[in-house]
């Protein structure tokens, strides 16, 4: 198959970045900037494929049970992040196309991390962020390895960066519940836009789950015992009715194109258009070799819904729709596992 190559210079990508965050830019300039962004984002596919193959091999050699998934960052998310971090530019954004590995527990995360970092390859580890030990301000926990891709024979990819995210099952469950609430309630925990009570609830639940994994709580909960945190969660859940809300979102979802889940084509890329008002999802599948078609339609839909807060467009890659739904539950409002944990806490 023919991989997408970057056809724009670094300076052109930088110029596109400035246009995308410029409120006074014309519609024509914004459209051209989005085309540049789409090519630059899509050209991460070849480096990502290299890393994914390498990491799958390491997981197999370690005989670990793990799931490896990848995703392109959405245009609205890219623009919001660039607006939020003024010192960041489009070429230096590390998670344009990230690779996520979901593992059973912390020991698996640490072991795989050591094996990856000690690998003998040309790619350069330019940064490591251990958000498991030192959570983000949003209380998100994961271990991130950022690499700059290097290849002697395909030098046009050499300035691209790939982010590898290692997280445990529990960390994944918490993060998907947060993203679900963010999608449906139109607030972003990552930028601290949530109402204070909801912020407190998810902060408290992050600390509770950290204790369950043998990790330190958030600093503001360090004086509390596990039982005290549990009691706080019970009171907060009763006040906010989190379980009922999450179950409503999960039960409301339905596919517009129900036939897709029954078809046997070899789809690897899925374009999801989410309607947060009617709780529906339209899913379009693409074969592995049709990534170019997928990203072009992705861009078309993103333009259509760029300013629509009640709609969301996501392009994800995986081998089957059932696995996609299982491991990307936040895009289907499926918070079953997090609800199960909450029920165990409040019983």
């Amino acid at each position: 198959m023919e991989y997408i190559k970057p056809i724009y210079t670094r300076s052109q990508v930088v110029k596109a970045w400035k246009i995308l965050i410029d409120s006074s830019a014309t519609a024509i300039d914004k459209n051209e900037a989005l085309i540049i962004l789409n090519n630059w984002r899509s050209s991460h596919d070849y480096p990502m494929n290299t890393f994914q193959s390498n990491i799958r091999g390491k997981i197999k050699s370690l005989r670990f049970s793990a799931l490896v998934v990848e995703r392109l960052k959405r245009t609205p998310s890219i623009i919001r992040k660039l607006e939020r971090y003024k010192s960041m530019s489009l070429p230096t954004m590390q998670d344009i196309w990230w690779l996520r590995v979901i593992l059973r527990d912390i020991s698996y995360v640490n072991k795989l991390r050591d094996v990856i970092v000690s690998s003998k390859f040309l790619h350069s580890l330019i940064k490591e962020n251990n958000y498991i030990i030192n959570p983000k301000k949003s209380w998100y926990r994961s271990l991130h390895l950022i690499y700059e891709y290097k290849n002697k024979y395909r030098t046009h990819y050499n300035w691209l960066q790939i982010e590898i995210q290692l997280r445990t099952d529990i960390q994944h469950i918490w993060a998907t519940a947060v993203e679900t609430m963010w999608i449906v309630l139109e607030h972003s925990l990552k930028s601290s836009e949530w109402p204070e009570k909801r912020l407190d609830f998810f902060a408290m639940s992050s600390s509770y789950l950290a204790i369950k994994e043998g990790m330190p709580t958030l600093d503001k909960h360090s004086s509390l015992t596990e039982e005290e945190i549990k009691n706080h969660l019970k009171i907060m859940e009763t006040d906010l009715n989190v379980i009922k809300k999450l179950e409503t979102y999960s039960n409301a979802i339905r596919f517009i194109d129900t036939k897709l889940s029954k078809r046997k084509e070899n789809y690897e890329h899925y374009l999801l258009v989410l309607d947060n008002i009617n709780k529906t999802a339209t899913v379009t599948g693409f074969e592995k070799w049709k990534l170019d078609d997928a990203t072009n339609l992705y861009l078309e839909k993103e333009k259509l819904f760029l300013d629509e807060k009640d709609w969301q467009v996501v392009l994800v890659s995986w081998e089957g729709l059932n696995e996609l739904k299982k491991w990307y539950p936040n895009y289907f409002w499926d918070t079953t596992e997090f609800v199960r944990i909450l029920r165990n806490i409040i019983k």
Side-chain angles (χ1 to χ4, degrees):
M1 64 174 289
E2 186 65 29
Y3 287 94
I4 298 172
K5 298 177 182 178
I7 60 176
Y8 299 98
T9 65
R10 190 182 184 93
S11 61
Q12 287 176 304
V13 176
V14 169
K15 183 180 179 181
W17 150 59
K18 292 181 179 178
I19 291 172
L20 289 172
I21 61 174
D22 182 2
S23 59
S24 64
T26 66
I28 294 176
D29 287 342
K30 289 240 178 189
N31 186 63
E32 291 178 353
L34 285 170
I35 292 171
I36 293 173
L37 166 61
N38 190 49
N39 169 259
W40 177 75
R41 177 175 57 182
S42 302
S43 62
H44 285 69
D45 183 36
Y46 183 82
M48 178 58 72
N49 187 64
T50 301
F51 273 94
Q52 182 176 161
S53 177
N54 184 283
I55 289 176
R56 286 185 185 278
K58 296 183 188 309
I59 292 171
K60 186 176 181 180
S61 67
L62 291 169
R63 298 182 179 181
F64 279 0
S65 172
L67 186 93
V68 182
V69 291
E70 61 182 84
R71 197 191 82 182
L72 284 80
K73 198 174 189 71
R74 299 169 55 247
T75 295
S77 297
I78 292 172
I79 295 174
R80 280 198 300 269
K81 190 168 186 177
L82 291 172
E83 290 173 340
R84 202 161 66 243
Y85 300 102
K86 302 301 182 182
S87 61
M88 179 183 293
S89 69
L90 197 52
T92 61
M93 187 175 289
Q94 302 154 351
D95 59 345
I96 286 294
W97 196 328
W98 51 246
L99 180 70
R100 176 175 294 159
V101 185
I102 303 168
L103 298 137
R104 188 170 68 184
D105 58 38
I106 297 291
S107 65
Y108 278 43
V109 169
N110 291 335
K111 181 63 176 178
L112 182 58
R113 175 264 174 207
D114 292 344
V115 170
I116 294 172
V117 170
S118 62
S119 296
K120 295 181 179 179
F121 47 40
L122 291 175
H123 318 301
S124 300
L125 177 64
I126 59 175
K127 194 172 185 181
E128 177 176 0
N129 295 316
N130 193 331
Y131 297 122
I132 295 177
I133 296 176
N134 300 301
K136 286 187 174 184
K137 291 180 179 179
S138 61
W139 318 303
Y140 165 87
R141 297 177 190 263
S142 185
L143 192 150
H144 294 185
L145 302 171
I146 297 95
Y147 278 89
E148 183 176 293
Y149 183 81
K150 292 185 179 180
N151 189 316
K152 292 181 180 179
Y153 308 103
R154 295 179 181 255
T155 55
H156 40 276
Y157 294 116
N158 279 358
W159 60 292
L160 300 180
Q161 295 181 12
I162 297 295
E163 180 176 274
I164 303 168
Q165 302 176 359
L166 309 180
R167 63 165 63 160
T168 67
D169 286 336
I170 287 179
Q171 291 158 6
H172 181 67
I173 289 168
W174 181 88
T176 53
V178 167
E179 290 191 36
T180 298
M181 294 292 277
W182 165 39
I183 289 170
V184 195
L185 297 176
E186 303 169 10
H187 295 288
S188 175
L189 179 62
K190 295 177 181 178
S191 55
S192 299
E193 296 173 357
W194 278 24
E196 196 65 31
K197 287 185 177 181
R198 291 196 184 103
L199 286 171
D200 290 343
F201 176 82
F202 278 96
M204 193 69 72
S205 63
S206 176
S207 285
Y208 179 80
L209 294 177
I211 291 174
K212 290 300 182 183
E213 292 195 293
M215 302 305 294
T217 65
L218 300 174
D219 288 343
K220 62 180 181 178
H221 300 147
S222 59
S223 63
L224 300 176
T225 66
E226 178 180 346
E227 192 62 27
E228 286 173 331
I229 290 177
K230 188 173 181 178
N231 289 334
H232 280 298
L233 282 172
K234 288 181 180 180
I235 296 169
M236 296 165 82
E237 200 289 321
T238 300
D239 181 32
L240 297 172
N241 213 357
V242 176
I243 290 177
K244 183 177 180 180
K245 286 186 173 69
L246 290 175
E247 287 182 328
T248 300
Y249 305 149
S250 295
N251 295 335
I253 190 63
R254 62 183 175 85
F255 291 113
I256 293 176
D257 186 358
T258 55
K259 293 182 180 179
L260 183 60
S261 62
K262 300 176 182 178
R263 292 169 65 180
K264 303 299 181 182
E265 280 85 346
N266 186 28
Y267 293 140
E268 184 157 325
H269 308 292
Y270 295 90
L271 183 70
L272 315 179
V273 180
L274 307 179
D275 177 352
N276 294 322
I277 298 176
N278 299 306
K279 305 297 182 293
T280 60
T282 302
V283 185
T284 306
F286 295 86
E287 290 87 350
K288 181 178 178 63
W289 55 89
K290 291 188 177 180
L291 177 64
D292 204 6
D293 292 342
T295 55
N296 286 333
L297 183 58
Y298 185 22
L299 178 61
E300 180 183 326
K301 295 295 185 182
E302 283 189 317
K303 288 179 183 178
L304 184 62
F305 297 115
L306 191 59
D307 298 318
E308 296 289 338
K309 64 181 180 180
D310 294 318
W311 290 80
Q312 186 176 20
V313 184
V314 183
L315 181 62
V316 293
S317 300
W318 190 237
E319 296 170 355
L321 189 59
N322 289 334
E323 288 298 309
L324 177 71
K325 185 175 180 181
K326 177 180 178 182
W327 293 105
Y328 282 96
N330 45 310
Y331 302 128
F332 294 85
W333 295 282
D334 184 356
T335 54
T336 306
E337 286 302 303
F338 189 71
V339 167
R340 179 184 61 78
I341 291 172
L342 290 182
R343 286 197 181 281
N344 286 332
I345 292 173
I346 66 174
K347 64 181 180 181

